[in-house]
Amino acid sequence: MQGHDSMNWKIVGIVLLVLIIGLTAAMIRQHERYLDARRNLVQDYQNPWHGDVFHVLTYLSIGEDSELIPVLRNLSAAAAEEGNSQLIYAGKVIHVGIVSPQLVEATGRGARWHAILVQQFEDRVAFDAYREHSAVERALGEFAGRFFIGMRRSAGLNLALPQVLLMMKLARTVTSSTDKRPFTDVNEPLGPGFQAIEGPLIAEADGLAKHAIMIVNLRLSGDQAQQRSDNRYAFSMMELMADRGYGPMHLGDPLAIDHQLDYDMITMVFYPGSGYFRDLLFSTWYQSIFGNKQLADAQSTVTAPITDLL
């Protein structure tokens, strides 16, 4: 009997070891897959293992007589000359889906943005030195409008996000829960917000946004009832991301620079192309959960990756 029990424990140990090795391999693969998407699709050059650094999102608007890429290249060259910044991501604005009243009041440009940059600095002092550098000042002066907001980004939390999605996917696999969200068009007129975004998404579906878009969100949570509702929406979206293999690239806390605006979270989420995103928004599944999306305030901007053009 004692030998039989010993053999059983050995079998249990082997099974557990195999499971641990398999899970570890899956987690490594998940990290590598997200890193590959970050670099090669989203053109996002964040070092996942960064230390205590200072991130800045810069919203930029150009005048009617300006061209976006040339003025962004001028700014990129000035930043390289100054030497304190690393460009993490540059996105061309495709559409502003949600306009924040706070941002309109502070800048007068709620929806009139043309690009968003994400840069990394050693600290706030390094950012201030960058902004005060003469070449950077001249390059920023070529833009009709600009807005800066800092972001405190936890490397550990952001590294964990893809693994959370992996666990969600494994849990759904173990429980035999299949993806029940085929993108079937609603085939009926939707509200003005959906009508406004459809054209820009289709226009970029075979262009800059063919393989990836990044949605940049400045968020302010609502009251408890709104938070419960929004959590249901977020969980449904996370399940979809887990099933389809995409999701958050940046999550952080906002830090005021020039304007004391009341946001409590910054998120930047990758979707596999504007065509995919259009099909998602106009699907019966998404329309069934959209009513749960409730925030006190938000600025939601759809961008196409252009980092490699600068």
Side-chain angles (χ1 to χ4, degrees):
M1 178 69 71
Q2 197 170 25
H4 182 71
D5 289 343
S6 177
M7 179 61 70
N8 286 342
W9 280 113
K10 286 181 181 179
I11 293 173
V12 170
I14 291 171
V15 170
L16 287 175
L17 179 61
V18 170
L19 288 174
I20 291 170
I21 292 173
L23 180 60
T24 301
M27 292 175 69
I28 292 171
R29 174 58 186 142
Q30 177 82 336
H31 172 76
E32 291 175 341
R33 191 168 61 80
Y34 265 77
L35 186 60
D36 179 69
R38 181 186 293 277
R39 297 287 186 265
N40 297 316
L41 296 179
V42 191
Q43 301 174 33
D44 183 297
Y45 294 98
Q46 180 65 63
N47 174 9
W49 308 96
H50 68 79
D52 185 14
V53 293
F54 186 70
H55 287 84
V56 176
L57 280 67
T58 304
Y59 288 63
L60 295 166
S61 177
I62 59 174
E64 294 181 0
D65 298 329
S66 297
E67 294 183 21
L68 182 62
I69 299 301
V71 292
L72 285 175
R73 284 175 176 164
N74 291 343
L75 180 57
S76 180
E81 176 184 318
E82 192 274 336
N84 273 318
S85 67
Q86 177 191 353
L87 179 61
I88 302 299
Y89 173 77
K92 174 189 174 183
V93 173
I94 297 175
H95 184 75
V96 179
I98 303 174
V99 176
S100 167
Q102 291 186 81
L103 193 56
V104 173
E105 183 176 353
T107 68
R109 295 181 175 275
R112 291 180 293 139
W113 301 105
H114 297 96
I116 298 177
L117 307 182
V118 180
Q119 293 164 285
Q120 180 179 297
F121 299 85
E122 182 177 346
D123 50 29
R124 173 63 191 266
V125 173
F127 167 71
D128 289 337
Y130 156 83
R131 192 163 56 157
E132 292 166 5
H133 189 268
S134 58
V136 174
E137 281 189 329
R138 287 193 300 272
L140 286 171
E142 296 185 55
F143 293 90
R146 52 190 179 270
F147 166 70
F148 302 97
I149 186 167
M151 177 173 68
R152 181 183 293 110
R153 184 186 192 275
S154 165
L157 175 61
N158 280 273
L159 279 166
L161 287 173
Q163 304 306 330
V164 171
L165 294 177
L166 173 64
M167 295 304 115
M168 292 177 70
K169 184 172 184 177
L170 291 176
R172 289 168 61 77
T173 302
V174 170
T175 58
S176 300
S177 179
T178 57
D179 184 2
K180 298 178 180 179
R181 294 175 289 276
F183 289 162
T184 302
D185 263 24
V186 290
N187 290 323
E188 62 183 48
L190 297 178
F194 288 94
Q195 294 176 24
I197 197 173
E198 185 175 23
L201 290 177
I202 292 173
E204 291 288 354
D206 290 319
L208 294 171
K210 182 175 183 179
H211 300 296
I213 59 171
M214 185 92 90
I215 300 185
V216 183
N217 299 300
L218 309 178
R219 297 165 45 97
L220 175 62
S221 301
D223 59 29
Q224 290 187 352
Q226 288 176 312
Q227 290 180 44
R228 286 194 295 270
S229 180
D230 197 64
N231 286 340
R232 290 193 295 271
Y233 169 84
F235 185 78
S236 296
M237 291 295 287
M238 291 285 281
E239 281 193 320
L240 179 64
M241 292 172 188
D243 287 338
R244 302 293 175 91
Y246 61 89
M249 289 285 160
H250 299 275
L251 176 67
D253 298 323
L255 301 170
I257 294 181
D258 295 325
H259 304 279
Q260 292 288 339
L261 303 185
D262 189 16
Y263 302 115
D264 55 22
M265 185 184 297
I266 296 175
T267 64
M268 297 179 63
V269 184
F270 149 60
Y271 290 83
S274 64
Y276 173 91
F277 191 60
R278 182 268 165 211
D279 292 345
L280 166 62
L281 293 185
F282 284 78
S283 68
T284 53
W285 176 80
Y286 184 80
Q287 292 301 316
S288 73
I289 69 165
F290 177 66
N292 290 328
K293 184 175 183 179
Q294 296 187 27
L295 295 166
D297 191 17
Q299 177 83 10
S300 184
T301 310
V302 183
T303 69
I306 56 171
T307 318
D308 291 350
L309 297 179
L310 306 186

